[in-house]
Amino acid sequence: MKSFQQLKGLVFPLDRANVDTDAIIPKQFLKSIKRSGFGPYLFDEWRYLDYGEPDMDCSQRPLNPDFLLNQPRYQRAQILLARDNFGCGSSREHAPWAIDGFGFQVIIAPSFADIFFGNCYKNGLLPIVASAGDIDRLFKESLASDAYYLDVNLEKQTVTLPSGDAFGFDITPHRKHCLLNGLDEIGLTLQHADDIKTFEARHKAAQPWLFA
Amino acid sequence: MAGKTLYDKLWDSHLVREESDGTCLIYIDRHLMHEVTSPQAFEGMRLASRLPWRKDSIVAVPDHNTPTDHWDKGIQEPIARLQVETLDANIKEFGALVYFPFKHENQGIIHVIGPENGTTLPGMTVVCGDSHTSTHGAFGTLAHGIGTSEVEHVLATQTLVAKRSKRMLVRVEGQLNKGVTAKDIALAVIGKIGTAGGTGYAIEFGGSAIRSLSMEGRMTVCNLAIEGGARAGLVAPDEKTIVYLKGRTFAPKGQDWDRAVAYWATLPSDPDAVFDAVVELKAEDIAPQVTWGTSPEQVLAVGGRVPNPAAETDPVKRAGIERALHYMGLTADMPITDIKVDKVFIGSCTNSRIEDLRAAAGIAKGKQKAASVNQVLIVPGSGQVKRQAEAEGLDKIFTAAGFEWREPGCSMCLAMNADRLVAGERCASTSNRNFEGRQGPGGRTHLVSPEMAAAAAIAGHFVDVRNQI
């Protein structure tokens, strides 16, 4: 997994609540057996005016002029600013793959859906929960600016605004450690293989029918 | 010390280790798989030269991409076919306890075939790369959806890195009115707590109305826990659970059965267990539900009227209502029963079990679909459900009514196969998500019970099914 330490990134504000993973990456793209290549289809039904199909050349497709992400000023955005319950619905990890594929590295929202939130960490994406007040301020300032940058520091657990104001965010020590160092979680877990084997033997003795 | 909830008992009995920050390693008993969220996990295993920790924990089936008609022609779309063939190849290479390939007589939706084969048992942990894994919680099973990286993690280690959820009790007391179903309970709960109300929680459903539900009904309720934001839904195992499981292919036998039943009796939440949140509903107050918007929380009783955004003071919510009304092609304040439907879909892991098909057939019997309705799809949840329905003559009732009787699969719940809405089409659907584009780009979904869907197919618009029972 790629690591994340610090980013000064351009913000793209997506001002709607309950953005579901079907909207983030529609189902037709889930037929791919690959883990990459989803970036051009991020928010496909909002971003393009035609119906997207896998393996389409998106550079030839008609863009929806009303969808903010299509404005030239957001083409190099790295921080996605969102509203409540971002990533709800389907567990598809294709959603963080598409967000990552576009070039985003950080998502800031007042709340996230549980499965999506966990999936982000597995892909080197940092989801940050911020207060409603901070989120409102970020929306107001970013929508009013042509190039709104935030400085995100994982080690210090801070987000710094252009004004120099900053707010902190929470992350579990385990996730922070994995993300800072880009660690493979399977490798980490397998360091405890003996614990798993001991548990498994005890579990099998207690409930043998689970191993039939 | 306060007693333990069902969730705590399941968690504690699967805890391998816990770090000081509360990060836990949880042992996984059952790993369900389908073709969409597994290929990248198997590829990761292959690249790292890893083998599954316990291949006999795996139950797999292709369900999302498979067609529901013309099985003799196979899967027409090349990339869908490749994805299904990739699952075939991966299971052949890595192994599984149960695999029902495309066209197998027992093929079906993963969340339907797990319980019907007894591969889902009380006291287990069950995961799948699919958010509707919450369905299996109906058995007193800790079951939830995971991402593909976690699918690979479970394959390689038989464990999941997780943190304890908070516990919510949703208590529904009383007796449901005729024509009101498990689906209506679940939608009413989501309407009350919101689509994020259960975020961070595992929801245990309790109370006399839940106890009165069949296992099928409990699966419907737990299935929809995720639409209320909770990864896991739970119902305590009881006599109904035991009767349902006894004799199923993978249910324990002989002495093991007796030991298992005795163990399962210890699982229900202790009387003095403490929940972090409690939500209460009266069964009598619940009417048949219909969603009007593009989130499952945008739901109303069938007698209601589509909301007016002018009445909403929160600007983000108001914009959400306006956007939903625009997408759904509805006018503020119109009665729900004035909404006409173009298509009807009865199926999905929410409502495709035998009880659901019986309920729909009960409404459709001797009637005809409205001429204005283009298509009514009846998609059984599995081969077993299909054979049972045919043995009961339900298929004949449906086809006589002008409904289409299809092969099992996920079908138009998410429209990965050819079953889908075209832009602007409106569907009464027994599935679980009314998101924009879920049933086809530009399609408009209204979530309802099987009874309500069948009644809408006959009338051509939503009707209060309580008047027909």
Side-chain angles (χ1 to χ4, degrees):
Chain A
M1 191 183 80
K2 64 180 181 182
S3 64
F4 180 96
Q5 289 92 24
Q6 190 264 340
L7 169 74
K8 187 168 183 189
L10 177 69
V11 174
F12 163 64
L14 180 61
D15 197 3
R16 45 176 98 180
N18 297 323
V19 172
D20 58 76
T21 53
D22 275 83
I24 295 171
I25 182 84
K27 86 277 297 181
Q28 62 269 34
F29 302 104
L30 273 52
K31 295 177 193 193
S32 167
I33 57 173
K34 290 184 284 195
R35 213 183 169 107
S36 57
F38 298 100
Y41 311 111
L42 173 68
F43 301 124
D44 199 84
E45 285 179 19
W46 295 340
R47 211 161 135 198
Y48 304 98
L49 293 172
D50 63 344
Y51 177 67
E53 295 277 9
D55 300 326
M56 253 184 176
D57 177 4
C58 291
S59 66
Q60 305 300 315
R61 296 175 61 195
L63 294 172
N64 174 5
D66 297 333
F67 189 53
L68 220 52
L69 188 60
N70 286 328
Q71 294 186 0
R73 60 172 167 161
Y74 295 122
Q75 294 319 299
R76 299 175 78 87
Q78 292 174 294
I79 298 176
L80 178 56
L81 178 63
R83 292 287 185 184
D84 267 312
N85 200 28
F86 187 81
C88 60
S90 156
S91 61
R92 60 189 69 169
E93 199 162 314
H94 312 68
W97 294 341
I99 291 170
D100 172 68
F102 182 89
F104 289 109
Q105 295 183 48
V106 173
I107 311 167
I108 306 178
S111 63
F112 292 88
D114 285 341
I115 301 177
F116 175 83
F117 190 70
N119 283 344
C120 285
Y121 290 107
K122 317 288 182 188
N123 294 283
L125 279 175
L126 174 61
I128 293 176
V129 177
S131 72
D134 285 329
I135 293 287
D136 281 340
R137 178 175 173 189
L138 295 185
F139 268 103
K140 199 175 288 175
E141 292 186 2
S142 62
L143 285 166
S145 164
D146 274 343
Y148 189 76
Y149 284 83
L150 291 173
D151 196 333
V152 178
N153 188 311
L154 177 56
E155 181 59 50
K156 293 181 186 161
Q157 295 178 222
T158 54
V159 176
T160 307
L161 282 62
S163 64
D165 292 348
F167 61 85
F169 61 89
D170 287 334
I171 182 171
T172 65
H174 176 89
R175 282 175 164 158
K176 183 174 177 176
H177 176 67
C178 288
L179 207 47
L180 280 173
N181 299 293
L183 296 178
D184 164 23
E185 208 168 44
I186 293 176
L188 279 184
T189 297
L190 286 174
Q191 290 175 7
H192 305 296
D194 288 343
D195 289 345
I196 302 172
K197 284 177 189 157
T198 305
F199 174 89
E200 196 169 49
R202 202 171 68 228
H203 196 49
K204 189 171 181 174
Q207 298 179 62
W209 58 88
L210 296 179
F211 293 78
Chain B
M1 203 177 100
K4 283 183 171 186
T5 65
L6 166 59
Y7 174 80
D8 295 320
K9 293 179 190 186
L10 294 169
W11 185 271
D12 292 347
S13 63
H14 290 85
L15 183 61
V16 175
R17 64 190 309 277
E18 182 165 3
E19 290 178 35
S20 56
D21 70 352
T23 303
C24 296
L25 208 54
I26 295 295
Y27 188 83
I28 301 303
D29 295 312
R30 180 67 67 223
H31 193 179
L32 308 174
M33 299 187 125
H34 62 65
E35 79 277 23
V36 178
T37 55
S38 64
Q40 298 88 351
F42 282 116
E43 184 63 14
M45 294 286 284
R46 215 173 275 121
L47 289 172
S49 301
R50 289 179 174 131
L51 292 171
W53 184 283
R54 239 188 87 197
K55 63 184 179 188
D56 66 354
S57 70
I58 298 170
V59 173
V61 67
D63 53 7
H64 283 56
N65 276 291
T66 54
T68 59
D69 61 353
H70 302 298
W71 271 14
D72 53 316
K73 292 182 185 159
I75 302 171
Q76 295 293 308
E77 195 183 3
I79 58 166
R81 189 167 61 239
L82 174 64
Q83 193 166 53
V84 170
E85 288 170 356
T86 301
L87 182 62
D88 290 340
N90 283 329
I91 295 299
K92 194 171 175 190
E93 179 181 346
F94 290 93
L97 175 72
V98 179
Y99 184 54
F100 298 139
F102 174 47
K103 294 201 265 194
H104 186 282
E105 61 169 8
N106 288 337
Q107 190 219 322
I109 305 172
I110 186 74
H111 305 309
V112 176
I113 68 164
E116 76 185 6
N117 285 292
T119 50
T120 298
L121 295 171
M124 270 186 169
T125 46
V126 177
V127 294
C128 178
D130 191 293
S131 60
H132 291 111
T133 310
S134 60
T135 310
H136 306 264
F139 291 81
T141 302
L142 180 55
H144 61 76
I146 55 177
T148 296
S149 295
E150 291 176 313
V151 170
E152 186 179 339
H153 192 279
V154 174
L155 273 173
T157 72
Q158 211 59 40
T159 63
L160 205 55
V161 178
K163 285 195 82 170
R164 210 178 274 266
S165 299
K166 291 180 284 182
R167 315 150 197 88
M168 180 185 289
L169 174 64
V170 171
R171 190 188 290 131
V172 190
E173 297 287 358
Q175 199 173 357
L176 288 174
N177 289 308
K178 271 193 179 158
V180 181
T181 68
K183 181 67 163 282
D184 301 304
I185 293 180
L187 288 174
V189 169
I190 296 164
K192 185 171 171 124
I193 67 173
T195 185
T199 302
Y201 289 93
I203 298 180
E204 179 175 344
F205 296 93
S208 56
I210 301 293
R211 301 250 71 83
S212 300
L213 293 175
S214 65
M215 290 312 296
E216 285 85 352
R218 295 175 188 184
M219 283 189 255
T220 300
V221 171
C222 289
N223 173 278
L224 289 165
I226 183 66
E227 308 315 329
R231 290 175 77 172
L234 290 162
V235 175
D238 60 9
E239 194 55 34
K240 272 186 196 166
T241 319
I242 292 163
V243 169
Y244 179 96
L245 288 170
K246 193 170 170 77
R248 293 195 184 255
T249 311
F250 290 94
K253 306 278 182 313
Q255 267 192 332
D256 271 352
W257 172 258
D258 298 334
R259 280 180 70 187
V261 169
Y263 174 65
W264 299 341
T266 68
L267 290 173
S269 293
D270 297 329
D272 58 342
V274 177
F275 290 85
D276 300 290
V278 178
V279 173
E280 293 184 307
L281 280 84
K282 283 191 192 137
E284 291 82 0
D285 294 347
I286 301 174
Q289 305 283 302
V290 182
T291 65
W292 57 268
T294 54
S295 166
E297 71 181 14
Q298 293 175 321
V299 65
L300 283 168
V302 63
R305 285 169 182 271
V306 171
N308 193 326
E312 177 59 58
T313 51
D314 180 328
V316 175
K317 281 190 186 153
R318 186 167 58 237
I321 295 173
E322 282 167 352
R323 193 181 302 116
L325 290 183
H326 175 73
Y327 181 86
M328 294 297 290
L330 298 173
T331 354
D333 298 319
M334 75 185 284
I336 292 283
T337 48
D338 280 2
I339 300 174
K340 296 184 173 67
V341 301
D342 304 305
K343 282 187 178 168
V344 174
F345 171 63
I346 298 178
S348 86
C349 58
T350 311
N351 281 126
S352 65
R353 298 178 182 83
I354 189 67
E355 180 183 277
D356 302 314
L357 302 187
R358 285 179 190 142
I363 298 293
K365 191 169 187 175
K367 303 206 175 79
Q368 275 294 316
K369 83 169 174 65
S372 58
V373 173
N374 301 328
Q375 187 178 44
V376 182
L377 284 183
I378 313 287
V379 183
S382 71
Q384 285 194 44
V385 170
K386 183 167 189 257
R387 285 192 296 279
Q388 175 73 30
E390 287 172 352
E392 296 179 18
L394 305 184
D395 58 324
K396 299 284 187 301
I397 294 174
F398 292 132
T399 50
F403 300 2
E404 294 176 34
W405 179 242
R406 294 293 189 95
E407 303 291 347
C410 297
S411 182
M412 216 210 286
C413 172
L414 86 167
M416 271 190 84
N417 68 0
D419 309 333
R420 62 183 72 160
L421 301 179
V422 299
E425 266 186 330
R426 187 182 300 287
C427 182
S429 178
T430 67
S431 56
N432 39 59
R433 291 190 173 131
N434 51 348
F435 298 157
E436 288 182 22
R438 172 78 177 181
Q439 294 192 291
R444 294 158 171 168
T445 304
H446 297 271
L447 304 175
V448 288
S449 71
E451 287 89 332
M452 284 288 288
I458 305 296
H461 55 88
F462 290 111
V463 292
D464 189 340
V465 77
R466 288 174 297 185
N467 301 331
Q468 301 190 11
I469 288 177

